[in-house]
């Protein structure tokens, strides 16, 4: 068991220890954003303090594969109190392109929110007096809904397939208007390409997001 967050406990936990614990946690079947306890948060904090980005930001944005987000405090803190639940939250990076899918439920009907676009390295980001490498995510297509034959999986982009109906086109238009340039930059706080763990921040809410590489592509 990892010690609780404190100055003394954090000094006894190495980066390797923290990584191992996070991989065990994130690879547990069914784990989601709501399973982050003090132990897991401590491990994330240790990685952030270390700040290593293996291979640099150019290598990080080439982290092609299927990623599962296992920590996103802004989503839990904002959606939880009103009874909305988001899980799982996943994204795929492939050759500079990114697709994000999140399932929603709770007081709202079960369904999926999806977006796609491009991910690229950008200029470093000054965060709390420390320069961090950063990436830019430009989502340009938005859609909703599950697959007709499998409600547990998000549907593919109807705009790309030419199957978009009036509602699909409206959702895409609303998404484009709602996506602001000012929230497209994400400082990368830690990245280990060998084990597939990344931590990056959503600056407007100072939310540190952690994800695990489930499968390389």
């Amino acid at each position: 068991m990892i010690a609780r967050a404190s100055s003394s406990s954090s000094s006894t936990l190495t980066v390797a220890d923290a990584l191992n614990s996070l991989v065990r946690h994130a690879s547990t079947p069914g784990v989601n954003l709501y399973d982050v306890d003090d132990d897991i948060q401590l491990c994330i904090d240790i990685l952030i303090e270390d700040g290593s980005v293996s291979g640099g930001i150019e290598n990080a944005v080439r982290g092609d594969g299927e990623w599962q987000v296992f920590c996103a405090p802004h989503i839990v803190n904002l959606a939880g109190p009103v009874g909305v639940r988001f899980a799982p939250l996943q994204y795929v990076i492939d050759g500079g392109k990114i697709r994000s899918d999140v399932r929603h439920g709770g007081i709202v009907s079960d369904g999926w929110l999806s977006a796609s676009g491009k991910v690229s390295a950008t200029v470093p980001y000054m965060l709390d007096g420390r320069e961090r490498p950063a990436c830019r995510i430009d989502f340009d297509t938005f859609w909703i809904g599950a697959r007709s034959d499998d409600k547990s999986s998000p549907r593919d982009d109807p705009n790309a397939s030419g199957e978009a109906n009036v509602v699909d086109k409206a959702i895409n238009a609303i998404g484009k208007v709602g996506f602001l340039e000012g929230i497209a930059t994400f400082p990368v706080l830690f990245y280990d390409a060998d084990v597939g763990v990344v931590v990056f921040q959503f600056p407007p809410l100072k939310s540190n997001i952690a994800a695990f590489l489930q499968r390389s592509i």
Side-chain angles (χ1 to χ4, degrees):
M1 176 66 70
I2 302 171
R4 296 287 174 178
S6 71
S7 59
S8 60
S9 62
S10 61
S11 65
T12 63
L13 194 66
T14 68
V15 171
D17 292 334
L19 272 175
N20 289 335
S21 294
L22 291 179
V23 169
R24 284 196 302 271
H25 171 77
S27 58
T28 301
V31 74
N32 59 53
L33 307 179
Y34 303 88
D35 297 323
V36 176
D37 59 16
D38 289 346
D39 295 341
I40 296 303
Q41 188 58 61
L42 172 60
C43 292
I44 293 172
D45 291 343
I46 287 172
L47 300 190
I48 293 172
E49 182 178 356
D50 177 77
S52 299
V53 176
S54 57
I57 189 61
E58 292 289 350
N59 186 52
V61 298
R62 290 195 299 268
D64 290 3
E66 298 175 357
W67 293 80
Q68 183 89 10
V69 176
F70 62 89
C71 180
H74 63 297
I75 293 178
V76 174
N77 293 337
L78 293 177
V82 297
V84 180
R85 184 177 178 87
F86 290 99
L89 171 54
Q90 57 203 34
Y91 64 92
V92 177
I93 296 177
D94 187 3
K97 297 180 180 180
I98 185 170
R99 168 176 167 166
S100 172
D101 300 287
V102 59
R103 190 173 188 176
H104 57 75
I107 64 169
V108 298
S109 59
D110 182 64
W112 289 87
L113 303 174
S114 302
S116 65
K118 298 179 180 179
V119 58
S120 60
T122 188
V123 297
Y125 192 103
M126 188 60 69
L127 189 65
D128 297 328
R130 181 175 177 180
E131 188 176 84
R132 301 279 192 169
C135 68
R136 181 178 176 86
I137 300 177
D138 291 294
F139 287 121
D140 54 26
T141 308
F142 305 84
W143 68 98
I144 63 174
R147 289 175 49 179
S148 59
D149 62 339
D150 181 6
K151 299 301 182 182
S152 66
S153 299
R155 68 195 287 218
D156 288 329
D157 177 12
N159 304 283
S161 64
E163 300 174 351
N165 57 31
V166 173
V167 174
D168 292 326
K169 292 178 181 178
I171 292 295
N172 191 30
I174 293 170
K176 289 177 182 290
V177 172
F179 183 75
L180 305 176
E181 292 289 325
I183 62 173
T185 299
F186 298 82
V188 177
L189 310 181
F190 181 89
Y191 174 64
D192 189 296
D194 292 330
V195 300
V197 170
V198 65
V199 183
F200 55 95
Q201 187 178 104
F202 179 58
L205 296 178
K206 295 186 177 180
S207 179
N208 297 328
I209 302 164
F212 173 63
L213 179 63
Q214 292 191 312
R215 187 175 72 90
S216 296
I217 57 176

